[in-house]
Every structure is written in structure tokens, then in C-alpha cells.
Amino acid sequence: MSKKIAVYRKEHFNAAHRLHNPLLSDEENAAIFGKCNYPNYHGHNYELVVKVIGEPDPKTGYVIDLKLLGYIIKKEIIERFDHKNLNLDTEEFKDLNPTAENIAVVIYNLLCPKLDKRYELKIILYETERNFVEFPA
Amino acid sequence: MSKKIAVYRKEHFNAAHRLHNPLLSDEENAAIFGKCNYPNYHGHNYELVVKVIGEPDPKTGYVIDLKLLGYIIKKEIIERFDHKNLNLDTEEFKDLNPTAENIAVVIYNLLCPKLDKRYELKIILYETERNFVEFPA
Amino acid sequence: MSKKIAVYRKEHFNAAHRLHNPLLSDEENAAIFGKCNYPNYHGHNYELVVKVIGEPDPKTGYVIDLKLLGYIIKKEIIERFDHKNLNLDTEEFKDLNPTAENIAVVIYNLLCPKLDKRYELKIILYETERNFVEFPA
Amino acid sequence: MSKKIAVYRKEHFNAAHRLHNPLLSDEENAAIFGKCNYPNYHGHNYELVVKVIGEPDPKTGYVIDLKLLGYIIKKEIIERFDHKNLNLDTEEFKDLNPTAENIAVVIYNLLCPKLDKRYELKIILYETERNFVEFPA
Amino acid sequence: MSKKIAVYRKEHFNAAHRLHNPLLSDEENAAIFGKCNYPNYHGHNYELVVKVIGEPDPKTGYVIDLKLLGYIIKKEIIERFDHKNLNLDTEEFKDLNPTAENIAVVIYNLLCPKLDKRYELKIILYETERNFVEFPA
Amino acid sequence: MSKKIAVYRKEHFNAAHRLHNPLLSDEENAAIFGKCNYPNYHGHNYELVVKVIGEPDPKTGYVIDLKLLGYIIKKEIIERFDHKNLNLDTEEFKDLNPTAENIAVVIYNLLCPKLDKRYELKIILYETERNFVEFPA
């Protein structure tokens, strides 16, 4: 049997956004995204769970030090997005619609190069308690 | 790497039920199901999480519009089971024991034909905070 | 300043009920209680929080032993109501509409004589995560 | 003993805001409010708990019908603030700094005239899981 | 009506403890405290909610800056108790039984002198999800 | 499609521990484990979720009776670890560093022989709300 273990670290950030695809007309955007397209933004308390899969190090008993993982998440993700307007204040969503799906993929791509290649990474992002996503599925 | 993303939508319904297999004697039912077999029913706040796996639509950035998924769940599942007695008031559990496992399979079979075939579907059902099930595993 | 401390103990029970006032017509009951009046019952995971206010005992450092309080709640409340149909299976709600408000008052009246008179008692009852009551206010 | 019971109803809304007092300089605002003053807004999933204290109606067993209370909250509060930018899109916070404290007082003042005078009202507002307020104290 | 508002800040710490009154015999301690008296300690994730009541400052709209309150709690409470053995590593519980009641009173007495006298203070401490206390009541 | 269903049962225990590898020097242990290496232990409310995957029994509608699974978990795991010092009081962690990863593997190995071979087993262990692990991944 595989000795692989998954470890999870939960962090959070608060951000404003609106859903809007600049390639579509305003009418299409309003029809597709409804309230989420309102022009002056709304916001969320995003709960971010980072899942790292690997074998535990026999010396430490850790797959990865979760405090270290927490620092990486804070440095790469929380400082970038916390208390920001995703559409206006970030490079990542200047031309990309900040749906929960797209935010999860962006976070994956930001964290992946910061972790050793022996790890498998998954991102779980709660936009609200009732709407959440996981990448890769 | 797969571009597939899982999206989750949480809804809930309140229902009465009892566990009872009509093919067994009353004594066997009481022995197997204990308090859950009491004749006059008990009930739960069922928390239902529907997981849909697919690739995001480049136009919307959505795997599926979670508001739309919410409407489908409400129409197909919540209106059918909310504030009902599962044993007495529903077609689905007239002859099927309403265990959490069976309820999850029934919900899967009700939702599956309402979703585009490109999606993979999973049902997570919380009977209580401490007892829950997922189908398919 | 008062040395009084409040201690809380959380327990839960699952029960079926319907809201119905036998002094009213079926039409009035349906108009007032809507889905909660459906004839074959529905149910809830009731979360019960019992709050006891008093001064800590210098010998133990306890206001009341919460394990002991847990036993009293289990004996007086959980065994009485868990996996029951409140309308059909209990003396307390034979003629009393089992609203969350009335259930909280009944629980208060059942627990009060089991606790030393030096304590003040409050009952917090969650019918769902979104609907809950406290008695006395 | 008082027969008064408190009933609680939980609703939620998602909104953008920034903390900013227009009577202060930009430097003072930045010094006082830090990240919460960032110019392009951030946002929250606000969890709103409305507490209504009164005596239960002997006919219904309700202090107030929580479905009705839910409708009032949705009509007066959720439709007004959900998916809005509190600073830009609302009359209430055009000249009032949208701190959790001020939002709670505004919600209190909006709901109070919609409820019968026999009720006492309290507003509990969660800006995040870790920061929340109650008015009146 | 009072303009007073309560604000709440939640923090947490993890600690080991055992319940033991050195003035009692080992037999009495074991009889009173059961598993909580085991000699080699057990532990908890303590969730601490600090409630501060006061009038909002018209300039900031804050009763108290919750970030500042968070820093005070971290400096006075979390650094003192987090990842410690309450019985062995702290001055406060050398001769005081670390029940949840006593821990709440100790936290109250540590925080009170750090806050302006115009505030009223309450401590809510969760030892587990099911057992928690509030001081003063 | 597979008929397999996953069922989950949640239990909890409170324990003290410290992270320490006896093969390393004290300095190395302090450098690697930081606060978690403090000599007098700290503790946690461990939340344990046991996931069992199998096909439902047509007679009962159960994959496994969750009350029975609860008894097995209580007998094999909770009685062994609850209110214990993992480092001092248990055989399992006398020479094994009690990281969440190692605790999850130990629980897996204790439960596996108690369950019928037709089941697949997974252990999810929350050390805190923000740090948790799953074995096997």
C-alpha cells in the first residue's frame, strides 16, 4: 500500500471582486453573472485549504512542516490578495475573470513552483460556506 | 495535467424517517436498526453537498453556474424531500430503506439526468455532523 | 464585581415533529405553519446548549461538573426525546405545539428541579443552524 | 419569572467596503485603518443574526414566525446590501464609515420600524469568523 | 437607548493541563476529576473569545480597533499559554486548578488592566466544542 | 459504475503530546519543531474522521452500521488515547514522534484488523481546525 499521506493547511483572505468577461458585452455579462456582475464590486471571506500529498520524512514525521507551508501560503497568496480588489489591484485577474474556479487555478500555479517536485498539490477554495471548488479535481 | 475542477454546492432539507426493511420481521428490524427503527419516526437536518467535476468554460470561467446548480437541486431534491416523511410521503422510499447510503444514491439518480453528460457527479450527504456518506466513493 | 461564571454544555437529539395547534382548524394550521404543518411529520437534529450560572466551588474550581451536567441532560432530556416523534411519543407535547420556543421551555422545566437552587439556568436550542431560541431571554 | 424568549434568525450577504472617514486626511485614514483603508475596496461574507425577544403567542407557540422574520430581513437588509459596494452603492454609508459597529446600528435602525413595538431587537453581525459585533450590547 | 455596542475577537491557543487540587488527596482528586486528573496531562485547543463593550468612537466608528485588541490578546494571553503545560509552565496555575472557569478568570484579570477603564470586558473560553464558560456571567 | 459508497464517522479525543525525535539532539529537535517541542507538552482536541468504503448490504442498506463503527473506534482508539499523554502513556508513541501524520497511520493500523477485509479504510485527523491530515492519501 502507498505510504502517501495528505496534509492540509487552512488560511484565509478577504477580497473584493466582480465577475466580468471583458470580451463580452455589458448585457451578456449581466445576463450570465447576475448580481456577481454589479459594477462596483462585492466581496468575500475566502477560505483557502492547501492540500499537499507526499511521503512523511522519517526524521521529522512530517510530510511537510505545516508552519512552513503556512508561511509560503501567506507570502505567495495572502499578501497578494488579502484586502485587495482582485479585478483592479492584481496582475493575475487584470484579464482573467475572478471566478472561484479561476482563483483556485491561479493559486495552484503560484504555489506549485514554491514546493518541492516530490509533492502533489491541490487547492480547495471556499467562496462562501455553500459554494466551493477544488483544483485539480 | 488535467484541467478538471470540482465545484461544490451545499443545500439542506429537513425530513422525518425511520429505518425499516419490510422484508424483515419487526424483531429483526428492531435488532438491526435500534432507535432508528422506532415506529413513529424521528428526523434530521440533512446537509446535502453536490459535487460536479468538469472543465471550466473559457467564456464564463465556470465549470457550471452554481446558482443554476442550486436551482436544479432545489427543484429536483429539496422540493421533493424537504419537510417530508421519507417513508410515507415519497415514491422513492416507499419500498427502499431510507439509510443515508440509499438517500445519497437516490439523489444521484435524480440529479444525473438533469446535468450535461460531460460532468461527473458526486453526492455527499450529512445525516448528522458525525455521520455522513459519499456516493460514488 | 460578581464572581458568577456561566458554564455551557452542548448535547443533541434527533426527533420528528409537526407544528399543529389542535384548537385550530386544519386550514388555519396549514395557513399559519405552512410546510411545518405537513401531516406526516418532518424532523431535525436539535442542538441543545444548557447554560448554568453560579459561583465556582473553591475546592473543585467548577461551577458544576460538566460531565455530571451532561449525565443529567442525557437522562432527563436526550433519553426522553432522542429518536422520538415529539407529537406522538411524548407526554410533554401531546397537547402542546412543539415549536422551538415550547421545546425550550419544556426542557427548562424538566431540568430545573434536577439542579441545585443556587444555579440560574438557561436553555439555548438550535432547530437548524439558522433558527434557534433561548429561554429565558 | 419572565416568560420572555429570545428567537434568532441567521441570514447572510456578501459586500465590498473600505474603511474611510472623509473628515480625515488620507494619511490619517491609512494610519488608523491600515489594510481596511485600501482604495479599491475589499469584501466580506457578512453573517447576520437577528435576535428578537418577546413572549410566545399562545395560539402559535411562536415569539415571531421565523419565516416571516426571514422575509423581513431579506427585504429590508439583504436586498439592500447583498453584492453591493457599501461605500458607493448605498445611501446609508455614503457619509458613514462602514465598520461592523456602524453596519450593525444601521441594520438595527432599518429593522426596528418593521417589527411590532412589543419586541426587543438585537443585531449580531459577523464580519469574519474572528471579528463580530452585537448592538445594542 | 444605550449606544453601547459589544465587539468580539476570537483567538486560540493549544495547551496541556490536568485538573488537580493540591490540597486534596490523590484519591479525592481522582474521584472528583476522573480522566481529567490523569497524572501525565492531556490537552486542548482552547478557543478564546474576548468581548469588549463600549460606545463607538465617532472618529473611527470603532468601539476598539479589533486588530489592536488582537495584538493585546496575543501578547498577554497567547504568548503566555500557547504550547505550554498550564500546571508546570505558568505562574498563574502553579497553585490554581486550571479548570475552564479558573482559566477564564485568570485571562480576565490579565487583560483588564491593559484596556481603558471605559470598557466592560467578558471572556468566553471553549475547552471543547461542547464545554465552554463565560466570565463574568 | 461502481456501487461503492463511502461512509464517515466522526469521533474525538483530547490528548497531550510534544514533537520530539529521540535520535536527534535537543538543539535539532528545538530547531525543527519549535514550540511543538517544548519539554512539558501541550495538547489538542483531536477530531477523528474514519472513512469506510464498501458496497451497501441490500438487507440493511448500510455499508457498515455507523453505531457499530463508532463502538469500534471508541474501544480501539478513544479509550487508548483520550485524556492521555501520547509520548508518556502509550505504547504506540514511546519511540515514534506523535505528529498528526504518524498518529493517523497508527490509527489506521489499529482499526484495519478490526474491520472486514472487504472494506477500504481512510483516516482523517484534525489536530486543529487549520492543520489536518489524511491517510492513505
Side-chain angles (χ1 to χ4, degrees):
Chain A
M1 198 183 74
S2 163
K3 288 180 172 176
K4 288 205 167 166
I5 302 181
V7 299
Y8 299 79
R9 175 76 177 188
K10 189 174 164 188
E11 301 284 349
H12 68 275
F13 59 97
N14 308 317
H17 79 156
R18 72 183 289 225
L19 300 186
H20 187 83
N21 179 346
L23 301 177
L24 303 176
S25 70
D26 285 357
E27 289 71 24
E28 283 177 295
N29 272 298
I32 293 172
F33 297 115
K35 290 189 300 183
C36 300
N37 179 247
Y38 284 177
N40 288 325
Y41 312 98
H42 61 282
H44 296 291
N45 304 335
Y46 289 96
E47 295 286 341
L48 168 62
V49 179
V50 174
K51 178 182 183 180
V52 174
I53 301 172
E55 294 201 10
D57 178 334
K59 184 170 156 188
T60 61
Y62 283 160
V63 168
I64 187 173
D65 181 345
L66 286 178
K67 277 192 308 297
L68 175 65
L69 180 60
Y71 292 137
I72 296 171
I73 300 169
K74 280 190 198 93
K75 183 158 180 299
E76 300 299 325
I77 309 301
I78 308 304
E79 288 186 11
R80 196 181 299 258
F81 296 142
D82 189 35
H83 282 73
K84 298 288 176 62
N85 182 309
L86 297 179
N87 306 69
L88 297 180
D89 297 332
T90 75
E91 283 304 311
E92 289 77 10
F93 300 103
K94 282 250 158 75
D95 302 309
L96 181 67
N97 196 5
T99 58
E101 288 91 332
N102 283 338
I103 301 173
V105 174
V106 161
I107 291 173
Y108 180 93
N109 289 331
L110 287 166
L111 285 179
C112 219
K114 305 297 173 186
L115 293 174
D116 192 291
K117 282 194 191 333
R118 72 178 182 276
Y119 294 124
E120 185 185 348
L121 176 67
K122 279 184 195 289
I123 303 301
I124 300 137
L125 184 72
Y126 290 76
E127 194 174 83
T128 69
E129 256 187 81
R130 297 170 68 195
N131 292 348
F132 47 107
V133 304
E134 183 182 18
F135 176 77
Chain B
M1 198 183 73
S2 163
K3 289 181 172 175
K4 288 206 168 166
I5 302 181
V7 299
Y8 299 78
R9 174 75 177 188
K10 190 173 163 188
E11 301 284 350
H12 68 274
F13 59 96
N14 309 317
H17 80 155
R18 71 182 291 225
L19 300 186
H20 187 84
N21 179 346
L23 301 177
L24 303 175
S25 69
D26 285 358
E27 289 70 24
E28 283 177 295
N29 272 298
I32 293 172
F33 297 115
K35 290 188 301 183
C36 300
N37 180 245
Y38 283 178
N40 288 326
Y41 313 97
H42 60 281
H44 295 292
N45 304 335
Y46 289 96
E47 294 285 341
L48 168 62
V49 179
V50 174
K51 178 181 182 180
V52 174
I53 301 172
E55 295 201 9
D57 178 334
K59 184 171 156 187
T60 61
Y62 282 160
V63 168
I64 186 173
D65 181 345
L66 286 178
K67 276 192 309 296
L68 175 65
L69 180 60
Y71 292 137
I72 295 171
I73 300 169
K74 279 189 198 95
K75 183 158 180 300
E76 299 300 324
I77 308 300
I78 307 304
E79 288 186 11
R80 193 181 303 256
F81 296 142
D82 188 36
H83 283 73
K84 297 289 176 61
N85 183 309
L86 298 179
N87 306 69
L88 297 180
D89 296 333
T90 75
E91 283 305 311
E92 289 78 10
F93 300 102
K94 282 250 158 76
D95 303 309
L96 181 68
N97 196 6
T99 59
E101 288 92 330
N102 283 338
I103 302 172
V105 174
V106 161
I107 291 173
Y108 180 92
N109 289 331
L110 287 166
L111 285 179
C112 220
K114 306 297 173 185
L115 293 174
D116 193 292
K117 284 193 189 332
R118 72 178 182 277
Y119 294 123
E120 185 185 348
L121 174 68
K122 279 185 194 289
I123 303 299
I124 301 137
L125 184 72
Y126 290 76
E127 195 174 83
T128 69
E129 256 186 82
R130 295 170 70 197
N131 292 347
F132 47 107
V133 304
E134 183 181 17
F135 176 78
Chain C
M1 198 184 75
S2 163
K3 288 181 173 174
K4 288 206 168 164
I5 302 182
V7 298
Y8 300 79
R9 175 76 176 186
K10 190 173 163 189
E11 301 284 350
H12 68 273
F13 59 96
N14 308 317
H17 80 155
R18 71 183 288 223
L19 300 186
H20 187 82
N21 179 345
L23 301 176
L24 303 176
S25 70
D26 284 358
E27 289 70 24
E28 284 177 294
N29 271 299
I32 293 172
F33 297 114
K35 290 188 301 183
C36 299
N37 180 245
Y38 283 178
N40 287 325
Y41 312 97
H42 61 281
H44 296 291
N45 304 336
Y46 288 96
E47 294 286 341
L48 169 62
V49 179
V50 174
K51 179 182 182 179
V52 174
I53 302 172
E55 295 200 9
D57 179 334
K59 184 170 155 189
T60 61
Y62 282 160
V63 169
I64 187 173
D65 181 345
L66 286 178
K67 276 192 308 294
L68 175 65
L69 180 60
Y71 291 137
I72 296 171
I73 300 169
K74 280 190 198 92
K75 185 161 179 299
E76 299 299 325
I77 308 301
I78 307 304
E79 288 186 11
R80 195 182 300 259
F81 296 143
D82 188 35
H83 282 74
K84 298 289 177 63
N85 183 309
L86 297 179
N87 306 68
L88 296 180
D89 296 332
T90 75
E91 283 305 311
E92 290 77 10
F93 300 102
K94 282 252 156 75
D95 303 309
L96 181 67
N97 196 5
T99 59
E101 288 92 330
N102 283 338
I103 302 172
V105 174
V106 162
I107 291 174
Y108 180 92
N109 289 332
L110 287 166
L111 285 180
C112 218
K114 305 296 173 187
L115 293 174
D116 193 291
K117 284 195 187 332
R118 73 179 182 277
Y119 294 123
E120 185 185 348
L121 175 67
K122 277 184 196 290
I123 303 300
I124 300 137
L125 184 72
Y126 290 76
E127 195 174 85
T128 69
E129 256 187 82
R130 297 170 68 196
N131 292 347
F132 46 108
V133 305
E134 184 182 17
F135 176 79
Chain D
M1 198 185 74
S2 162
K3 288 181 174 176
K4 288 204 168 167
I5 302 181
V7 299
Y8 299 80
R9 174 75 177 189
K10 189 173 164 189
E11 301 284 350
H12 67 275
F13 59 96
N14 308 318
H17 80 154
R18 71 183 288 226
L19 300 186
H20 187 83
N21 179 346
L23 302 176
L24 302 176
S25 70
D26 284 359
E27 289 71 23
E28 283 177 294
N29 272 298
I32 294 172
F33 298 115
K35 290 188 302 183
C36 299
N37 180 246
Y38 283 178
N40 287 325
Y41 312 98
H42 61 281
H44 296 291
N45 304 335
Y46 288 96
E47 293 287 340
L48 168 63
V49 179
V50 175
K51 179 182 182 179
V52 174
I53 302 171
E55 294 200 10
D57 178 334
K59 184 171 155 187
T60 61
Y62 283 161
V63 168
I64 187 173
D65 181 344
L66 285 177
K67 275 192 309 295
L68 175 64
L69 179 60
Y71 292 137
I72 296 171
I73 300 168
K74 279 190 199 94
K75 183 158 180 300
E76 300 299 325
I77 308 301
I78 307 305
E79 288 186 10
R80 194 182 301 256
F81 296 142
D82 188 35
H83 283 74
K84 297 289 177 63
N85 182 309
L86 297 180
N87 306 69
L88 297 180
D89 296 331
T90 75
E91 283 305 311
E92 290 77 11
F93 300 102
K94 282 250 157 75
D95 303 309
L96 181 67
N97 195 5
T99 59
E101 289 92 330
N102 283 338
I103 301 173
V105 173
V106 161
I107 290 173
Y108 181 92
N109 288 332
L110 286 166
L111 285 180
C112 218
K114 305 297 173 187
L115 294 174
D116 192 293
K117 284 193 189 334
R118 73 179 181 278
Y119 294 123
E120 184 185 348
L121 175 67
K122 278 184 195 291
I123 303 301
I124 300 137
L125 184 71
Y126 289 77
E127 194 173 85
T128 69
E129 255 185 85
R130 297 170 67 196
N131 292 347
F132 47 108
V133 305
E134 184 181 16
F135 177 78
Chain E
M1 198 184 73
S2 163
K3 288 180 172 175
K4 288 205 168 166
I5 302 182
V7 299
Y8 299 79
R9 175 76 176 187
K10 189 173 164 189
E11 300 284 350
H12 67 275
F13 59 97
N14 308 317
H17 80 154
R18 71 183 288 224
L19 299 186
H20 187 82
N21 179 346
L23 302 177
L24 303 176
S25 70
D26 285 358
E27 290 70 25
E28 283 176 295
N29 272 299
I32 292 172
F33 297 115
K35 289 188 301 181
C36 299
N37 180 246
Y38 283 178
N40 287 325
Y41 312 98
H42 61 281
H44 295 292
N45 304 334
Y46 289 96
E47 293 287 338
L48 168 63
V49 179
V50 174
K51 178 183 183 179
V52 174
I53 302 172
E55 293 200 11
D57 178 333
K59 184 170 154 188
T60 61
Y62 283 161
V63 168
I64 186 173
D65 182 343
L66 286 177
K67 276 193 308 297
L68 175 65
L69 180 60
Y71 292 137
I72 296 171
I73 300 169
K74 279 191 198 93
K75 183 158 179 301
E76 300 299 325
I77 308 301
I78 307 305
E79 289 186 9
R80 194 181 302 256
F81 296 143
D82 188 35
H83 283 74
K84 298 290 177 61
N85 183 309
L86 298 179
N87 306 69
L88 297 180
D89 296 332
T90 75
E91 283 305 310
E92 290 76 11
F93 299 103
K94 282 251 157 76
D95 303 309
L96 181 67
N97 196 5
T99 59
E101 289 91 331
N102 283 338
I103 301 173
V105 174
V106 162
I107 291 174
Y108 180 92
N109 290 332
L110 287 166
L111 285 180
C112 218
K114 305 296 173 187
L115 294 175
D116 193 291
K117 283 194 188 333
R118 72 180 183 276
Y119 294 123
E120 185 184 348
L121 175 67
K122 278 184 196 290
I123 303 300
I124 300 136
L125 184 72
Y126 289 78
E127 194 173 85
T128 68
E129 254 186 83
R130 298 170 67 196
N131 291 348
F132 46 107
V133 305
E134 183 181 17
F135 175 78
Chain F
M1 198 183 74
S2 163
K3 287 180 172 175
K4 288 205 167 166
I5 302 181
V7 299
Y8 299 78
R9 174 76 176 187
K10 189 174 164 188
E11 300 285 348
H12 67 275
F13 60 96
N14 308 317
H17 80 154
R18 72 183 289 226
L19 300 186
H20 187 83
N21 179 346
L23 301 177
L24 303 177
S25 70
D26 284 358
E27 290 70 25
E28 283 177 295
N29 272 298
I32 292 171
F33 297 115
K35 290 189 301 183
C36 299
N37 180 245
Y38 283 178
N40 288 325
Y41 312 98
H42 61 281
H44 296 291
N45 303 335
Y46 289 96
E47 294 286 340
L48 168 63
V49 179
V50 174
K51 178 181 182 180
V52 174
I53 302 172
E55 294 201 10
D57 178 335
K59 184 171 155 188
T60 61
Y62 282 160
V63 168
I64 187 173
D65 182 345
L66 286 178
K67 276 192 308 296
L68 175 65
L69 180 60
Y71 292 136
I72 296 171
I73 300 169
K74 280 189 198 94
K75 182 157 180 300
E76 300 299 325
I77 308 300
I78 307 304
E79 289 186 10
R80 195 181 301 255
F81 296 142
D82 189 35
H83 282 73
K84 297 289 177 62
N85 183 308
L86 298 179
N87 306 68
L88 297 180
D89 296 333
T90 75
E91 284 305 311
E92 290 76 11
F93 300 103
K94 281 248 158 78
D95 304 308
L96 180 66
N97 196 5
T99 59
E101 288 92 329
N102 282 338
I103 302 173
V105 174
V106 161
I107 291 174
Y108 180 91
N109 289 332
L110 287 166
L111 285 179
C112 219
K114 305 297 173 186
L115 293 174
D116 193 292
K117 285 195 188 330
R118 72 180 182 275
Y119 295 124
E120 185 185 349
L121 175 68
K122 279 184 194 290
I123 303 300
I124 300 137
L125 183 73
Y126 289 77
E127 194 174 83
T128 68
E129 255 186 82
R130 296 169 68 196
N131 291 348
F132 47 107
V133 305
E134 183 182 18
F135 176 77

